[in-house]
Amino acid sequence: MKSLFILAILCAPAAAQQPPASAPQTAPPAAESPVPSEQTWLTGYIDLGYRWVTGVSGSFDTYRSVVDLGSGPKMLGTDFTIKDPKHRLFDAIDVRAFNWGDDPYSTFHLDAKKVKLYNFSVDYRNIAYYSNLPAFADPLMDINGVILNEQSLDTHQKMSGAHLDLWPGRWIVPYLAFDHDADTGSGIATFVSNGNEYPVSSLARNSTNNYRGGVRLELSRFHITLEEGGTTFKDDQQLNQSPGQVNYGNFFTPLLGQTLYLTGLGEAYGVRGSSIYSRGVLSANVTSWLDLYGQFLYSQPDSNVNFQEFSTGTQVLLSQVLFYTGEQSLVAAEAKLPHTSGSFGGEIRPFRRLRVLPSWMTDRMHTNGSSSTQQNLTGLENGATGSLALDSLLSSSLVTNYNQAEVRLMFDLTSKITLRGGYRYVWGNASDVVLPVSGLGSLDQGKIRRNVALAGAVWRPFEKLSLNADFEGGSSGSTYFRTSLYDYQKGRALGRYRISPSFSLSVNASVLHNHNPTPGVNYDFLAHQESASLLWSPSGGKYLTFEGSYTRSTVRSDINYLDPEFLTPETSLYVDNSHTVTALIDLKLPGVLGYKTRLTLGGSAFLSSGSNPTTFYQPTAKMAITVNKHVDWVSEWRYYGFAETFYLYQSFHAQMVTTGVRISR
């Protein structure tokens, strides 16, 4: 009513100036209001369908490890928004979900918000991880032809989280968040004993909870986040072999005249841990020429471990050359792991064309732990009788300190050329000690020292063309691991050219060469990749769109190592040269039987040669027909073909057809 009253007041002067009634006029038609008379409360779509998978020809385990898509009804995807025109409990709720119906990777996301009151989000992911390649971790294949992956897994990982912001848009924003990660499943693992190792069934279960809350201060010149949180962690794993079965393990040769075997096993460990942590984040625009940022994190986790093992069979204690037929072990351990990390940096603009970006970070962890072990051996041989009890107390510590300082410069040489350069220094140390000292690995120390030069450039000769190149070269005096970056060179170049409004081309090349000359290591690694892609969409893709890409990559690794069985020097050489081709053509047809139709044809192919020649083909065809304004019928055919020259029993091929409808509003 108030709006109508104001409108009448504004129109009154115009009415007063109208001609008298004796001069009739025809009133112009009222213009149609651009505002819809009724606001739509629901918009979005949902894809529902059914998938048929032909019988997999070849290795079903490899198919599951690589593809793992099955038949059945599916909710392929949905993305919709719910709005409340009256803005009572919420303004809008956005929902996205994809790949539901026993697919290996399902996701769900929800956002709910009300202006100036709250933002709330929920995430969920369910990942089915299956890894059982027959040729992987299978030492028995060459001995007696047994196909058994001794490190196989069939697990489900579920990750969920919720986040709530209160009073968004204000300068003080409190928030609460919770994250949960759980993994359960089964598989095959090895029970390692002196002189042999035995593949047995395994069960795994672990979970982590992360609770956190804090406040964000969001002002015009700086932002501060203060957060306090805590985590809880548990990990349970079991190894089992049913009594009565004889497991000869991976070594059939008698040891000191005795054949080792396992007839029963029950092994379980449980890890429990918790942590309280504090985190702070700062970013500030101090002046028109200076920006600063920093982050600090401190946590002190602690963990407890309980382990128990019962095994039977013929086994050996090599330190005393003592054979036995039964073992019982109990272990209790605890550890504290204070952890501190921080970083600080900024951007300095002393004049218009130059930017200086210094940064520094550190990560420090000091761990102390202790354990007690009770081991009882029964059925002693070699003249010994009765049982033997072995008790031990151990204490250990692990100290790691990692630091990195860097400065980068960015200079606009001209309006079309930007140059980059910089220097990075990395240093740190690590030590690991176990007391009382015994064996080969009781004391270990290492250092890392690395100098790195950085360079790069961007060239934009004209609007449609841009070229970008980066280079990084490092030299190390020492490092932690044999395969860490030591003396290395890394480069990358990227070019994009928009030839016309309907045609664009991009090329990309990268290379990494790493060399560790340390005696006994002599590690040499080379990887490079070159790719090109194009997009052609005449008339803005009105009827036709084509995109294609080609990638060539090479990996070569050469390193010395000691054979774990006899400690003799060996060389590991791995080479892979691969080609990947992808092409898709999208056709928008004028209509089939009066319906708008969209047809997509293409696929991808991967071919490699070298240490493990492999081919993988995946052609596809997809058709979408618009039935009416709210319904589309979509069908897709896809083929999977996988083959390895040296492991033909790992090859497979399969076809699948998916059909369904998209309902939109």
Side-chain angles (χ1 to χ4, degrees):
M1 295 298 295
K2 182 178 180 181
S3 299
L4 294 176
F5 177 75
I6 295 175
L7 181 62
I9 295 295
L10 294 175
C11 293
Q17 297 176 13
Q18 294 298 318
S22 59
Q25 294 185 357
T26 303
E32 184 179 353
S33 173
V35 180
S37 58
E38 185 175 319
Q39 186 177 8
T40 302
W41 67 273
L42 175 64
T43 57
Y45 71 88
I46 182 170
D47 291 336
L48 302 173
Y50 194 96
R51 180 187 297 129
W52 290 269
V53 179
T54 65
V56 177
S57 299
S59 173
F60 185 70
D61 285 331
T62 306
Y63 171 82
R64 286 205 59 194
S65 299
V66 177
V67 181
D68 205 16
L69 293 175
S71 300
K74 310 292 177 183
M75 197 283 286
L76 302 171
T78 185
D79 188 344
F80 61 89
T81 299
I82 301 173
K83 293 184 178 180
D84 181 5
K86 296 184 179 180
H87 305 280
R88 289 165 293 193
L89 298 179
F90 62 90
D91 296 327
I93 297 177
D94 298 314
V95 176
R96 299 189 303 273
F98 298 95
N99 304 318
W100 285 84
D102 198 30
D103 273 10
Y105 185 64
S106 304
T107 63
F108 173 84
H109 179 80
L110 179 146
D111 280 318
K113 59 185 177 182
K114 186 170 177 60
V115 174
K116 296 183 179 181
L117 183 59
Y118 70 84
N119 285 338
F120 178 69
S121 64
V122 174
D123 273 294
Y124 176 81
R125 286 174 288 170
N126 187 352
I127 302 174
Y129 179 70
Y130 185 88
S131 176
N132 189 17
L133 294 174
F136 181 75
D138 191 356
L140 298 176
M141 184 181 304
D142 294 333
I143 299 175
N144 53 21
V146 173
I147 298 178
L148 179 66
N149 183 335
E150 297 185 3
Q151 296 296 328
S152 59
L153 289 172
D154 186 4
T155 64
H156 278 267
Q157 185 175 15
K158 299 180 180 181
M159 294 170 284
S160 57
H163 188 102
L164 174 65
D165 286 339
L166 297 175
W167 309 306
R170 302 186 182 183
W171 70 279
I172 297 181
V173 181
Y175 66 90
L176 295 170
F178 170 75
D179 298 289
H180 175 74
D181 185 349
D183 192 8
T184 59
S186 59
I188 298 176
T190 54
F191 168 63
V192 180
S193 180
N194 283 329
N196 207 342
E197 54 186 36
Y198 307 89
V200 295
S201 62
S202 68
L203 297 174
R205 181 179 62 188
N206 62 74
S207 65
T208 302
N209 296 311
N210 184 9
Y211 311 84
R212 54 194 176 93
V215 61
R216 296 196 304 270
L217 306 179
E218 300 180 350
L219 301 179
S220 59
R221 301 292 294 271
F222 68 89
H223 298 258
I224 298 176
T225 299
L226 300 175
E227 181 177 286
E228 191 74 13
T231 61
T232 59
F233 171 78
K234 64 178 182 180
D235 185 5
D236 297 304
Q237 182 169 329
Q238 298 179 13
L239 298 181
N240 297 284
Q241 178 178 303
S242 301
Q245 298 178 353
V246 179
N247 186 342
Y248 289 98
N250 295 331
F251 300 98
F252 296 87
T253 303
L255 178 66
L256 301 176
Q258 291 271 18
T259 299
L260 303 179
Y261 57 87
L262 188 69
T263 57
L265 174 67
E267 180 181 280
Y269 71 79
V271 182
R272 299 293 182 269
S274 62
S275 172
I276 300 294
Y277 64 88
S278 303
R279 186 174 75 99
V281 179
L282 165 70
S283 63
N285 174 228
V286 181
T287 69
S288 60
W289 53 270
L290 176 63
D291 294 331
L292 298 176
Y293 67 87
Q295 178 173 286
F296 174 80
L297 173 67
Y298 176 77
S299 63
Q300 186 166 345
D302 60 77
S303 61
N304 296 277
V305 180
N306 289 286
F307 171 86
Q308 57 182 355
E309 174 205 320
F310 303 91
S311 62
T312 58
T314 298
Q315 302 176 64
V316 64
L317 183 65
L318 289 177
S319 61
Q320 301 183 25
V321 194
L322 183 63
F323 289 91
Y324 57 92
T325 60
E327 177 186 17
Q328 177 182 352
S329 297
L330 300 175
V331 179
E334 61 179 2
K336 294 186 178 296
L337 305 85
H339 185 194
T340 304
S341 63
S343 62
F344 182 77
E347 180 177 319
I348 306 170
R349 300 174 290 276
F351 52 89
R352 184 173 60 88
R353 293 191 174 187
L354 178 65
R355 285 179 289 169
V356 183
L357 294 90
S359 64
W360 168 85
M361 67 88 64
T362 185
D363 188 270
R364 301 170 180 270
M365 183 174 68
H366 295 187
T367 304
N368 293 291
S370 61
S371 68
S372 62
T373 303
Q374 296 179 349
Q375 186 178 20
N376 190 49
L377 307 181
T378 60
L380 303 182
E381 301 182 10
N382 297 0
T385 59
S387 62
L388 175 64
L390 301 173
D391 298 338
S392 62
L393 295 174
L394 297 176
S395 62
S396 64
S397 67
L398 171 65
V399 178
T400 64
N401 298 305
Y402 179 88
N403 306 277
Q404 175 179 300
E406 178 180 296
V407 60
R408 290 182 294 153
L409 305 177
M410 301 181 67
F411 180 68
D412 295 326
L413 185 63
T414 68
S415 60
K416 298 181 178 180
I417 300 177
T418 300
L419 302 179
R420 298 189 294 267
Y423 169 75
R424 179 190 305 143
Y425 180 60
V426 177
W427 73 101
N429 60 77
S431 62
D432 181 14
V433 61
V434 178
L435 298 175
V437 175
S438 63
L440 298 176
S442 298
L443 177 62
D444 194 12
Q445 293 182 331
K447 294 183 178 181
I448 182 172
R449 299 289 186 273
R450 183 181 300 138
N451 295 279
V452 182
L454 309 171
V458 177
W459 181 32
R460 300 170 293 274
F462 47 89
E463 182 181 357
K464 296 181 179 180
L465 177 64
S466 65
L467 302 172
N468 194 338
D470 286 286
F471 173 80
E472 180 177 319
S475 176
S476 303
S478 58
T479 190
Y480 293 151
F481 307 106
R482 295 160 55 89
T483 55
S484 297
L485 291 176
Y486 202 90
D487 297 335
Y488 72 97
Q489 301 82 39
K490 179 167 64 173
R492 183 173 182 266
L494 174 65
R496 293 189 177 93
Y497 183 30
R498 188 176 182 183
I499 301 174
S500 69
S502 61
F503 189 78
S504 61
L505 175 69
S506 65
V507 294
N508 193 351
S510 61
V511 62
L512 169 62
H513 178 243
N514 184 32
H515 180 62
N516 185 343
T518 304
V521 178
N522 196 28
Y523 176 51
D524 191 75
F525 177 86
L526 174 65
H528 62 85
Q529 177 177 291
E530 300 81 35
S531 64
S533 62
L534 62 91
L535 175 64
W536 180 45
S537 55
S539 303
K542 185 177 181 180
Y543 299 108
L544 169 67
T545 299
F546 175 80
E547 56 182 311
S549 65
Y550 167 76
T551 301
R552 181 185 184 275
S553 61
T554 295
V555 175
R556 186 182 188 278
S557 175
D558 186 353
I559 189 171
N560 295 334
Y561 72 100
L562 293 178
D563 180 273
E565 185 175 2
F566 303 105
L567 298 181
T568 56
E570 300 286 350
T571 299
S572 173
L573 177 63
Y574 180 83
V575 177
D576 182 81
N577 300 299
S578 65
H579 305 266
T580 305
V581 180
T582 300
L584 286 174
I585 183 170
D586 189 74
L587 301 172
K588 296 179 181 178
L589 306 179
V592 176
L593 299 178
Y595 297 106
K596 294 181 180 179
T597 302
R598 184 171 182 173
L599 184 63
T600 303
L601 301 171
S604 60
F606 172 85
L607 303 93
S608 72
S609 60
S611 300
N612 185 19
T614 303
T615 58
F616 183 58
Y617 299 98
Q618 188 180 310
T620 183
K622 183 177 181 180
M623 182 173 63
I625 298 177
T626 300
V627 178
N628 57 46
K629 183 179 179 181
H630 300 292
V631 178
D632 293 88
W633 175 53
V634 182
S635 292
E636 182 185 53
W637 167 83
R638 194 177 292 269
Y639 173 85
Y640 295 92
F642 179 86
E644 292 178 306
T645 303
F646 298 153
Y647 308 99
L648 293 177
Y649 53 86
Q650 273 191 173
S651 304
F652 72 87
H653 64 84
Q655 300 185 60
M656 63 180 61
V657 176
T658 305
T659 187
V661 295
R662 165 172 287 194
I663 304 172
S664 58
R665 178 175 177 178

